[in-house]
Amino acid sequence: MNGPAMLSFLASAAPAAAEPPQWLSFLPLVAMAGVFYFLILRPQMRRQKQHQEKIAGIKKGDQVVTAGGLIARVIKVDEGTVDLEIAPNVRVKAVKSTLGDVVAPGATPAAND
């Protein structure tokens, strides 16, 4: 017998190994998706919900920090905007969703260092 014929004979004579089900090959992907959800997406959604609740509870007189880093006092609250006083007699209008944080009056906001 020549080489290729011998290999085909040996391959047919060897007992066939039982292969695992195909769905087991997707199990690591499902596990990675679960880890991704619980370690990244879920905490991010929780922070976003807390931020939305905080922004929804803004009232006149609160001190806020804008996304640009300006510290201002809320003068007027509308549906989607707020009027802010960033200095005496200097008023600006800002979109509510651009507010970064609500701070206690007189307190300095935490630095993002």
Side-chain angles (χ1 to χ4, degrees), residues 14-30:
E19 289 189 26
Q22 287 288 50
W23 61 270
L24 280 179
S25 64
F26 293 108
L27 199 57
L29 293 174
V30 171

Side-chain angles (χ1 to χ4, degrees), residues 9 31 66 81:
F9 175 72
T66 65
T81 62

Side-chain angles (χ1 to χ4, degrees), residues 3-109:
M6 182 63 121
L7 288 177
S8 67
F9 175 72
L10 290 175
S12 65
E19 289 189 26
Q22 287 288 50
W23 61 270
L24 280 179
S25 64
F26 293 108
L27 199 57
L29 293 174
V30 171
M32 284 190 300
V35 167
F36 181 77
Y37 175 77
F38 283 107
L39 292 180
I40 297 173
L41 292 178
R42 195 162 171 237
Q44 177 63 30
M45 289 188 303
R46 187 179 306 131
R47 280 192 301 269
Q48 185 177 10
K49 184 178 178 182
Q50 289 172 347
H51 182 259
Q52 287 174 346
E53 290 171 355
K54 194 183 299 186
I55 297 301
I58 290 177
K59 59 189 179 304
K60 182 179 176 180
D62 284 348
Q63 190 172 6
V64 295
V65 178
T66 65
L70 297 174
I71 300 173
R73 190 170 48 96
V74 177
I75 301 298
K76 180 180 159 190
V77 180
D78 292 330
E79 181 107 5
T81 62
V82 291
D83 289 346
L84 302 173
E85 185 175 45
I86 56 176
N89 296 324
V90 179
R91 294 183 179 184
V92 294
K93 186 174 281 225
V95 177
K96 267 185 162 180
S97 61
T98 63
L99 298 178
D101 197 11
V102 179
V103 295
T108 57

